[in-house]
Amino acid sequence: NAGVMQNPRHLVRRRGQEARLRCSPMKGHSHVYWYRQLPEEGLKFMVYLQKENIIDESGMPKERFSAEFPKEGPSILRIQQVVRGDSAAYFCASSPGQFQETQYFGPGTRLLVL
Amino acid sequence: AQSVAQPEDQVNVAEGNPLTVKCTYSVSGNPYLFWYVQYPNRGLQFLLKYITGDNLVKGSYGFEAEFNKSQTSFHLKKPSALVSDSALYFCAVRGSTSGTYKYIFGTGTRLKVLA
């Protein structure tokens, strides 16, 4: 029973480039959450998606960041025109439902912007 | 507003001794509380959760946590620490009312178990 999969595990980008982070939820899970972890800090919620729907993106920066969870395929977190401050670990979590449900986390993608 | 406090950045304990990692929370209504552990360059692993029922919750790897409503605390405990327990521990809370689903995480407590 595969857990939450994220790729790539490490991503290096130069300022101004685009970063695409992928997340495949656990089998049977239709709810996906993205969190960002800055060095030596806790995780901060970014966005919550269900298939083809963004439920809550209140934690996403207003510009350059977008997320999707298509009917087929993984969820994608896209960061356009990256800046050094985007360097962080980005974690995806999934759950089978919303209420009383534990979120299970992937291994994360560590983004480094040069 | 929901919040979580982990007052200790680091906890040191000798192997074999009991350990406690502290967590206090603030949330409207009844809380759902979670503990996760993070090893270096790894994701978060779920340890245990409190939703309702018995205040003492048992989880993975011998860990347990006690929910104390009056003190709004959810401290993580283990009777006998192992060196392999050394890691970063996160407490998280979410509300139980409809529409609340995002976890609010504490800043983490680094546990060091000394041989």
Side-chain angles (χ1 to χ4, degrees), chain A residues 24-97:
Chain A
S24 297
M26 286 178 72
K27 189 176 180 181
H29 288 194
S30 59
H31 299 246
V32 165
Y33 314 79
W34 285 93
Y35 293 81
R36 177 164 64 176
Q37 183 182 32
L38 295 171
E40 302 301 317
E41 290 190 17
L43 280 70
K44 297 278 194 289
F45 169 81
M46 298 182 75
V47 62
Y48 164 39
L49 309 105
Q50 295 179 26
K51 286 281 186 183
E52 300 184 281
N53 280 307
I54 296 174
I55 307 301
D56 181 351
E57 56 182 348
S58 60
M60 290 262 278
K62 294 285 184 278
E63 297 176 352
R64 302 189 296 108
F65 284 72
S66 62
E68 62 177 12
F69 189 15
K71 189 176 179 182
E72 301 290 340
S75 174
I76 307 284
L77 180 67
R78 183 181 176 208
I79 311 172
Q80 294 178 289
Q81 299 172 353
V82 295
V83 301
R84 288 220 174 103
D86 296 333
S87 296
Y90 292 82
F91 289 96
C92 168
S94 74
S95 68

Side-chain angles (χ1 to χ4, degrees), chain B residues 11-33:
Chain B
V11 169
N12 295 328
V13 64
E15 187 175 29
N17 281 3
L19 69 87
T20 298
V21 183
K22 295 180 181 176
C23 171
T24 58
Y25 66 89
S26 173
V27 68
S28 300
N30 295 321
Y32 293 167
L33 295 153

Side-chain angles (χ1 to χ4, degrees), chain B residues 32-90:
Chain B
Y32 293 167
L33 295 153
F34 304 83
W35 275 102
Y36 288 83
V37 59
Q38 184 179 32
Y39 295 98
N41 296 316
R42 303 275 294 276
L44 275 68
Q45 292 180 37
F46 169 73
L47 278 180
L48 51 80
K49 67 180 178 183
Y50 172 82
I51 301 296
T52 187
D54 195 350
N55 289 344
L56 185 63
V57 177
K58 293 190 184 296
S60 307
Y61 313 120
F63 284 94
E64 58 189 29
E66 186 165 12
F67 170 61
N68 187 317
K69 189 172 183 177
S70 62
Q71 297 186 3
T72 62
S73 68
F74 189 56
H75 301 331
L76 182 70
K77 301 184 182 196
K78 186 172 182 180
S80 178
L82 300 172
V83 172
S84 57
D85 293 330
S86 298
L88 188 56
Y89 289 79
F90 288 101

